[in-house]
Amino acid sequence: MQIRNIAIIAHVDHGKTTLVDKMLRQAGAFRENQVVAERVMDSNPLERERGITILAKNTSVRWKGTKINVVDTPGHADFGGEVERILRMVDGVLLVVDAFDGPMPQTRFVLRKALELGRTPIVVINKIDRPGADPMRVHDEVLDLFIELEANEAQLDAPVVYASAREGVATLDMDVKAVNLDPLFDMILSAVPQAPSDADSPFQMLISTIDFSPYLGRLGIGRIERGTVHVGDQVLLLPMDTSQKNEQAKVTKLYVYEGLERLEVQSAQAGEIVSLAGLEGVEIGLTVTDLEHPERLAGI
């Protein structure tokens, strides 16, 4: 199975949660009466109070035989560590920019991080149906921002998609009527590199974020960089501080993300974003590896 891992970044109210919601709906990732994406993507109480994303959330859609993992990314400089950790899990970013407001401060901060890490950007100029919208002006402003942030040549040539997340439509050309989100999905498949697929090497994964279950305890979340992990595997937890002792643990539960749900599976391979249970001492920045190959990844 091919996988694309992308982060979605935007300033407050530029429409990223609505866009994820419509992507899920068009791809058929909702069950009847299922909670809307907004309740999942901004589910932390402080996030709802402040109307912002603080903690990253994972979801996924399937399009033309490819799984697209979508990670919602904090947009505030206050959460820079969280932003960088999440960008380590993905290979591309959807930069959502309002067709009236143009790039804003939060856009600048997260985009800088993405460009520094060499991530492949796709620009989504959203709200093209908004009164006073000027997508062509905003297109030029985004290009100026890329130049200011010292994007490389490939990043400067980032594809641009014009969209109305509210209507669930997108187009690559403002002279062509937008009828659905097919152009956006197709652009993700063509522009974003495929996730790592080295499934036969020894297992290795960096813990990028932590979740908690009242039944399972701490859950370590990250992208499998290489190899395959199975429920029941014995693994090593390698702390960032090399003077500390490695800890052995057993994977008791393994989850991937399907639509808005966390789906329990028996195994997962390189490139997939997973959640591991059973790692009692798990912390952000730890490397989880095969017992015989304790090779540490650079943490944050």
Side-chain angles (χ1 to χ4, degrees):
M1 177 183 64
Q2 290 199 352
I3 296 175
R4 301 291 191 276
N5 294 321
I6 62 170
I8 184 165
I9 59 180
H11 190 81
V12 172
D13 292 333
H14 279 204
K16 68 176 179 178
T17 302
T18 303
L19 182 61
V20 171
D21 183 281
K22 291 301 173 65
M23 290 172 69
L24 287 163
R25 292 183 186 279
Q26 180 169 324
F30 278 101
R31 289 184 288 103
E32 187 177 359
N33 299 323
Q34 192 169 12
V35 65
V36 296
E38 183 177 359
R39 297 295 297 268
V40 175
M41 302 307 278
D42 292 325
S43 55
N44 179 274
L46 183 57
E47 292 174 320
R48 293 189 186 179
E49 176 185 338
R50 297 179 61 180
I52 59 174
T53 298
I54 298 172
L55 303 174
K57 310 296 188 302
N58 302 329
T59 186
S60 75
V61 299
R62 290 182 182 266
W63 187 254
K64 296 183 177 179
T66 296
K67 182 177 183 182
I68 303 172
N69 285 313
V70 183
V71 185
D72 192 18
T73 308
H76 282 260
D78 294 350
F79 313 110
E82 177 83 0
V83 168
E84 191 162 349
R85 288 194 299 270
I86 296 317
L87 290 173
R88 287 279 295 273
M89 289 198 296
V90 303
D91 301 293
V93 294
L94 291 183
L95 173 66
V96 182
V97 182
D98 189 299
F100 177 83
D101 292 334
M104 302 291 279
Q106 286 170 237
T107 314
R108 177 186 303 269
F109 166 71
V110 186
L111 179 60
R112 176 185 289 113
K113 289 288 186 183
L115 296 178
E116 288 173 352
L117 289 169
R119 299 302 176 251
T120 299
I122 297 174
V123 179
V124 181
I125 298 180
N126 189 31
K127 302 188 182 182
I128 57 174
D129 55 339
R130 177 179 174 179
D134 189 348
M136 297 301 103
R137 169 184 59 81
V138 171
H139 178 283
D140 291 342
E141 290 176 353
V142 171
L143 181 58
D144 289 343
L145 178 59
F146 272 61
I147 294 171
E148 182 182 336
L149 296 179
E150 300 181 349
N152 62 38
E153 186 173 344
Q155 292 167 335
L156 284 172
D157 199 28
V160 178
V161 179
Y162 304 94
S164 168
R166 185 180 64 176
E167 299 297 326
V169 298
T171 180
L172 303 181
D173 185 340
M174 286 298 294
D175 293 328
V176 177
K177 183 179 179 181
V179 294
N180 52 37
L181 290 175
D182 287 15
L184 176 59
F185 285 122
D186 291 340
M187 185 57 71
I188 292 171
L189 297 194
S190 65
V192 177
Q194 184 177 342
S197 56
D198 185 7
D200 297 325
S201 295
F203 172 63
Q204 186 187 49
M205 166 182 163
L206 181 69
I207 300 298
S208 295
T209 187
I210 298 290
D211 201 354
F212 180 80
S213 163
Y215 306 104
L216 300 172
R218 295 168 71 83
L219 302 172
I221 300 171
R223 181 178 73 176
I224 300 175
E225 295 299 325
R226 71 181 190 202
T228 302
V229 64
H230 305 81
V231 172
D233 281 355
Q234 295 287 334
V235 295
L236 277 181
L237 277 64
L238 313 182
M240 286 188 289
D241 185 349
T242 55
S243 67
Q244 295 181 5
K245 185 179 179 181
N246 298 340
E247 177 183 334
Q248 186 170 333
K250 178 181 178 180
V251 177
T252 57
K253 295 282 185 180
L254 174 62
Y255 299 93
V256 297
Y257 297 89
E258 291 289 346
L260 294 173
E261 299 182 330
R262 194 165 58 195
L263 177 67
E264 185 174 352
V265 295
Q266 293 302 304
S267 66
Q269 297 183 341
E272 183 65 275
I273 294 175
V274 299
S275 178
L276 303 179
L279 316 183
E280 184 176 341
V282 70
E283 298 285 350
I284 289 172
L286 291 182
T287 303
V288 187
T289 72
D290 173 84
L291 288 180
E292 303 299 323
H293 300 83
E295 298 165 358
R296 186 177 279 99
L297 290 162
I300 299 174

